[in-house]
Structure formats: C-alpha cells, structure tokens
Amino acid sequence: MANHLLDGLMANAQPEHVFARLPDGRTYTYQDVVDVSARFANRLVALGVQPGDRVAVQVPKSIEAVTLYLGTVRAGAVFLPLNTAYTPSEIEYFLGNATPSVFVCDPKDAGSYTDLAARLGVHLETMGVWKSHGESAGTLADAALEASAAFADIDRGPDDLAAILYTSGTTGRSKGAMLTHDNLLSNAVVLKDLWRFTADDVLLHALPVFHTHGLFVATNTIMRAGAGMVFLSGFNNDQVIHYLPECTAMMGVPTFYTRLLDDPRFTKELVSHMRLFVSGSAPLLAETHVEFEARTGHRILERYGMTETNMNTSNPYDGDRRAGTVGFPLPGVDLRVCDPDTGKPVPDGEIGMIEVRGPNVFAGYWQMPEKTKEEFRDDGFFITGDLGKIDADGYVHIVGRGKDLIISGGYNIYPKEIELLLDEQDGVLESAVIGVPHPDFGEGVVGVIVPLKQAHVEEASIMEAIKDKIARFKQPKKLYVVDELPRNTMGKVQKNILRDRYAGTFAS
Ligand code: MCA
Ligand code: AMP
C-alpha cells in the first residue's frame, strides 16, 4: 500500500516547479512542499499522533497551513481545519466532539485555549504566518524546522479518513463530515481534467484554507496538475487586481466577482490573458454572470458542491456556460431530483430534492450514525437539502434550499444556532433569524426578536451580549424588535413573511 491521497495529489509534481508564490516575495516549490510536509509529519508523530488521530487546526492562512494538511495526511492522521473567525466557545464544541490529539492555534490565541486544551487532554501547539527573516512562527513551526525532511509516509488506502470538516447543523450543533482519501483525490482528478489544469497554470488563490473551496477544490486540483498559485492571505481588490496579470485562473465565491465588478480597474485588458474564472459556494446571480461577460468577455464557470460531497456538478469547459445553472453532474457522479417526501425521482423539469452518489460523497458524520442514516437513501444517494431541477438540456438548476440555511459571502449560517443564542438573552421571549438580500454578501443575517412581556430589549445590548459567543460573520447585521412573529395555523414561524418584510434592510 501507499498513501492514497498524497501519492495521487503529487503524481504530476515536478520538484523544482513553483507551487506557490507569496506576496512577501517567497516562492515555495514542490520540493518545499515535500520537505516541509515531512517535517510536520515527523513532528506530529513525535507528539504521539497515531494513524486515525485528528489534528485540529485554527491558524491564519499561510502556505504552511496547507503543508500542515499534507503532513497530517502523510502521518496517517485526519486533518480538521477550523474557521479562524470561530470564538473559543465554538471551538470548545469542536474539540470536545472530535477529540483530536493535537490542536494547533494562532500564537496570539494560545492564552484563550491553554485551560481548555488541558481540560480536554488535547496537546496545544501554535502556528502563525511564517516570516522570511527567521522570526518564530509558533511552537509547531519552530519544532518542524528542527525536524527531519525525510519521512516514510504511513500507508493509507482509499477508504481511510483524510479530513473531517464541520458543517453547521439544522439543530444548531455542527456535524463533522468524514472525508476519505478517495473522496478528496477522486474529485481533484476529475476537476483537473474537466477544467483543463496543467503545470502551466497559475491560480489566484484568495480563499480561506479551512473550507472545501479553498483547501480542496483549489489546492488539491492545483497539486494534481503540478501547477502553481499566487497565494494571497485573503481577498482584497487591490491585491487581486495587482496579481491577476500573473495568473491564468481564479476561483472564488460570488462576492469576489461582484466586488471586482464594482472596481473600475477591473477591465477587459486586465484579464484578457486569463483562461478561467470559477464561481461556487453560493448562487451566482445571473445578472453578475451577464455583467462579467459584458465587462471582460469571460463567461464565469459556475459549479456546485458541498462540504459533504466536494464538487457535484460543473458547467462545461468548452460548451455553453449557462447563467443561473450549475451545469452537469461531474464524471462519476450520479445526480437525481426526487420528491422530498417519497424519495421517488420527479420528471425532468420539475423541482425536487437534489440527491447525489459517487466517489466524492463523504463517509458519514463523525460519531452520528443515526444522523448519517437519515441523510442517505438505501441505494447510497445522499440527500443534499438543496432544491433543484434538471432542464431539457440536462443542466442542473438550484432553485432553493430545503434546509433553513443562510449563505453569506460563501459562509454557511444555520439560523437555529443564532436563534438559540438570541433566545438565551435577557428579556428575549423568542426570535427568528433570516437571510435577506445583501449587496456584498449575497445574503445578510437579520434577527427578529420578541421580548418578554414588560421587558425592554435593545439591539445594542443584545449585540454586545452575543459578541464573544459566535463568529462575527454569523452575528445579525440588523436586529428588529417586534411584538410577535407571524405564524401559520400549525404555529410554525412564517419566515417567508419575515424575509419579505425585511427584504430592503440592506438595500444599497
Ligand atoms: C466577513 N464578514 C462577513 C463575511 N466575511 N459577514 C458576513 N458574511 C461573510 N462572509 C464581516 C466581518 O465579520 C466584519 O464584520 C466585516 O464583514 C469585514 O470583515 P473582513 O474580514 O474585512 O471581510 P472580508 O475580508 O472582506 O471577507 C469577505 C469575504 C470572505 C472575502 C467574502 O467572507 C470570504 O473569503 N468568503 C469566502 C468563504 C468561503 O471560502 N466559502 C467556501 C465554503 P465587522 O466589520 O462588523 O466586524 S466551502 C462551500 O461552501 C462548498 C463546499 C462549495 O461549494 O464551495
Ligand atoms: P457547505 O455546507 O459550506 O459545503 O455549503 C454547501 C451549500 O452551498 C450547498 O448545499 C448549496 O446550498 C450551496 N452552494 C454551493 N455551490 C452553489 C452554487 N453554485 N449555487 C448555489 N448554491 C451553492
């Protein structure tokens, strides 16, 4: 045996070829990838990490964070990346649930995690952004530099776990999606071929590396192609516009594209050499697609995926990239649209629940066999929670969500989690959280609160009270205090009425 994911990802890598170029001038070759990931693997093993152990990581974006993922996989362990915006109270749940043997945090957060790690018996390490001038970038970084660059990869097969990524849950509790070596590799192999990546490509990478999009869709596909990246710490127009001339492809969430279109420096000339723009994680408005083509001559290629499934569909590379659709099922992926109640496929053109099956589909939720069973059909199809249809030409359209989910700037936010928190606050009887159109993030979070009788509730005090409890991007950007919530005859809150009522909240 060998290490299925690592071997597959590195199959086309040439040691001297540049994997990543950083704005500070550093370049990172594939040989560096091999060496640094070996150092991490050696260090993790020295810390007692065993095959199958989880290594949880909440660190600022850096190329070393990507090599730590590879080092973890080489050590036979399971990489568990966490959003840098999560607060310590959110992190406590992930560490308690996933029981990692090591947790790597930002050096500046170490003080907030020392007690928690000790209480949970998790070994705490730190890693920040590595500097070119030899300044310490944390305990793990320092120790890795001392470790050997030779490592015999731990054998791992296609069905062994490579990563766990938490997705927010409809009940408010997050579920850990278990992704195998082959879930990740099979998707990278398909995307590299479908989107025609070769060693000559340079991807503009401005996505975070703690989610599927930036970590797997972007970096795995690039690695599989033996290609390179300009690796930015995040998205901002100045840097992106500066580096686009050196790149051939870009992947982003719709917010990236609307922000670029708002910038007069983003011109046809700037991107005339580009080969490909990919969008996903949230719906790309048809008008953005049309405006992008009018401005640049490029048709954005929209694709559709989930944390649990990696990528499921893509618009064609050569054929017609249709605005408002997510294209065709990827090679090897079966996709059907079913009646959500009976599970029977509906005729083409009719709306139903999207279900998928294939080598990309995850192995289940970490330690939640019942939840896993509920979300799979007996014949192996995963119920995505997305409502869609297949048109006469075979294009898949996503028309809505069966799950109560807000997607803001490409981040998923489950209203239930926020409602539970709002309900706990002094003076609050109940609440409802909705997503309404937002000019920058697509959807913006709005909270609607009903106070207890005689209680006086103010937006500012509620916002202050929840400040450290949940990640900033999940917090309502506007709170309304009302006397009662609209309900149907069954007593269920009518969120559609609230969404209509507050639709203009963020009107620009
Ligand atoms: C930042 N803020 C947000 C968001 N991002 N609020 C709502 N939604 C957001 N997405 C808030 C901050 O808390 C802050 O609030 C203010 O906005 C400015 O923050 P800043 O950090 O400056 O924002 P930014 O750097 O401009 O970030 C916006 C962004 C970023 C670039 C759109 O959110 C981003 O990179 N999103 C990509 C997410 C992603 O990779 N998703 C893929 C998931 P305040 O000022 O009030 O403190 S994977 C997935 O979905 C599947 C598998 C798939 O198909 O890909
Ligand atoms: P996540 O749980 O972060 O992996 O988000 C997955 C969800 O993002 C999917 O279930 C969809 O609802 C949504 N999504 C991803 N790509 C697209 C897209 N191109 N269009 C519409 N929704 C999308």
Side-chain angles (χ1 to χ4, degrees):
M1 231 191 343
N3 193 287
H4 185 72
L5 177 56
L6 230 292
D7 297 346
L9 290 180
M10 298 298 273
N12 300 308
Q14 294 300 321
E16 297 315 317
H17 196 89
V18 173
F19 171 59
R21 219 154 56 66
L22 311 177
D24 69 4
R26 278 196 299 155
T27 52
Y28 214 78
T29 63
Y30 276 95
Q31 188 62 53
D32 294 327
V33 174
V34 172
D35 292 349
V36 180
S37 61
R39 293 179 192 280
F40 280 131
N42 274 314
R43 183 62 195 148
L44 292 175
V45 170
L47 289 172
V49 170
Q50 301 281 326
D53 279 4
R54 278 75 56 212
V55 174
V57 176
Q58 186 194 32
V59 298
K61 182 175 175 181
S62 71
I63 197 67
E64 286 78 15
V66 175
T67 26
L68 176 57
Y69 145 58
L70 300 172
T72 303
V73 169
R74 294 183 68 178
V78 180
F79 191 65
L80 197 171
L82 293 160
N83 194 320
T84 49
Y86 290 155
T87 61
S89 44
E90 289 168 299
I91 294 293
E92 179 166 0
Y93 167 75
F94 298 118
L95 298 187
N97 187 257
T99 59
S101 46
V102 173
F103 172 45
V104 189
C105 74
D106 189 328
K108 75 173 172 42
D109 297 334
S112 322
Y113 289 125
T114 311
D115 292 348
L116 175 65
R119 182 153 47 87
L120 296 176
V122 181
H123 180 84
L124 186 65
E125 291 278 325
T126 62
M127 188 167 92
V129 177
W130 291 28
K131 304 280 188 319
S132 37
H133 39 80
E135 202 179 294
S136 169
T139 56
L140 186 68
D142 294 347
L145 283 173
E146 299 294 313
S148 165
F151 184 79
D153 292 355
I154 304 290
D155 281 350
R156 293 272 98 179
D159 297 333
D160 285 317
L161 288 193
I164 294 179
L165 266 64
Y166 276 82
T167 71
S168 311
T170 37
T171 54
R173 286 276 82 155
S174 289
K175 298 166 286 179
M178 299 190 288
L179 296 155
T180 66
H181 277 237
D182 203 51
N183 290 154
L184 301 182
L185 180 60
S186 63
N187 222 231
V189 168
V190 164
L191 296 179
K192 176 228 166 241
D193 290 341
L194 198 72
W195 295 343
R196 309 273 172 84
F197 276 96
T198 71
D200 294 332
D201 273 304
V202 179
L203 180 81
L204 190 137
H205 194 304
L207 288 157
V209 288
F210 42 71
H211 277 318
T212 299
H213 198 164
L215 186 61
F216 301 141
V217 187
T219 51
N220 282 353
T221 305
I222 286 302
M223 266 185 270
R224 173 70 187 180
M229 304 185 278
V230 168
F231 196 79
L232 305 179
S233 59
F235 183 90
N236 75 68
N237 276 18
D238 292 347
Q239 267 198 330
V240 169
I241 286 168
H242 177 82
Y243 285 107
L244 272 173
E246 298 165 37
C247 300
T248 63
M250 174 173 153
M251 293 183 192
V253 296
T255 300
F256 287 14
Y257 295 113
T258 51
R259 285 188 182 181
L260 286 171
L261 285 170
D262 278 342
D263 195 315
R265 296 171 298 172
F266 186 67
T267 60
K268 192 170 197 146
E269 293 66 43
L270 185 81
V271 295
S272 59
H273 66 288
M274 288 285 284
R275 185 176 73 73
L276 181 63
F277 290 95
V278 179
S279 177
S281 308
L284 183 77
L285 293 179
E287 68 192 53
T288 309
H289 193 279
V290 170
E291 194 186 338
F292 197 90
E293 185 178 15
R295 175 85 66 89
T296 66
H298 288 283
R299 291 174 77 86
I300 296 176
L301 184 154
E302 185 171 8
R303 64 23 169 216
Y304 157 60
M306 288 181 79
T307 302
E308 287 93 333
T309 63
N310 299 289
M311 298 304 100
N312 292 313
T313 72
S314 169
N315 267 279
Y317 187 84
D318 287 324
D320 189 10
R321 298 177 195 167
R322 289 203 188 154
T325 84
V326 292
F328 307 113
L330 297 179
V333 175
D334 298 323
L335 183 147
R336 67 187 184 196
V337 177
C338 295
D339 181 310
D341 298 323
T342 64
K344 294 223 164 56
V346 299
D348 277 0
E350 282 185 23
I351 293 170
M353 176 65 69
I354 299 178
E355 301 185 358
V356 293
R357 184 174 66 184
N360 54 318
V361 177
F362 74 136
Y365 295 112
W366 172 254
Q367 289 181 336
M368 291 186 182
E370 290 305 316
K371 194 83 207 146
T372 303
K373 215 162 149 238
E374 277 169 27
E375 308 217 359
F376 278 91
R377 301 277 180 208
D378 291 343
D379 57 1
F381 274 84
F382 172 63
I383 306 164
T384 62
D386 291 311
L387 298 173
K389 65 174 185 185
I390 301 175
D391 70 19
D393 296 326
Y395 284 81
V396 177
H397 300 236
I398 297 176
V399 298
R401 295 172 204 138
K403 52 199 174 191
D404 191 12
L405 165 71
I406 299 168
I407 305 184
S408 177
Y411 286 141
N412 286 8
I413 300 163
Y414 273 90
K416 190 78 194 164
E417 184 187 3
I418 323 299
E419 289 161 0
L420 289 172
L421 184 61
L422 292 175
D423 293 351
E424 278 173 14
Q425 304 310 311
D426 284 346
V428 175
L429 173 66
E430 61 173 351
S431 64
V433 167
I434 51 170
V436 300
H438 188 286
D440 188 28
F441 296 127
E443 290 183 293
V445 178
V446 165
V448 187
I449 285 181
V450 179
L452 284 164
K453 278 215 167 53
Q454 264 93 48
H456 178 70
V457 170
E458 279 189 6
E459 177 173 3
S461 52
I462 299 270
M463 291 307 293
E464 179 60 28
I466 64 169
K467 197 172 78 189
D468 299 325
K469 300 272 171 43
I470 45 166
R472 187 84 183 130
F473 70 86
K474 297 182 192 169
Q475 296 175 18
K477 295 195 187 296
K478 175 76 191 158
L479 278 179
Y480 292 99
V481 180
V482 300
D483 292 338
E484 60 179 6
L485 297 173
R487 291 183 187 275
N488 64 15
T489 46
M490 309 292 288
K492 198 169 176 305
V493 175
Q494 291 169 300
K495 290 201 167 176
N496 53 331
I497 293 183
L498 292 176
R499 278 190 285 265
D500 288 346
R501 189 182 296 165
Y502 299 117
T505 302
F506 305 114
S508 46

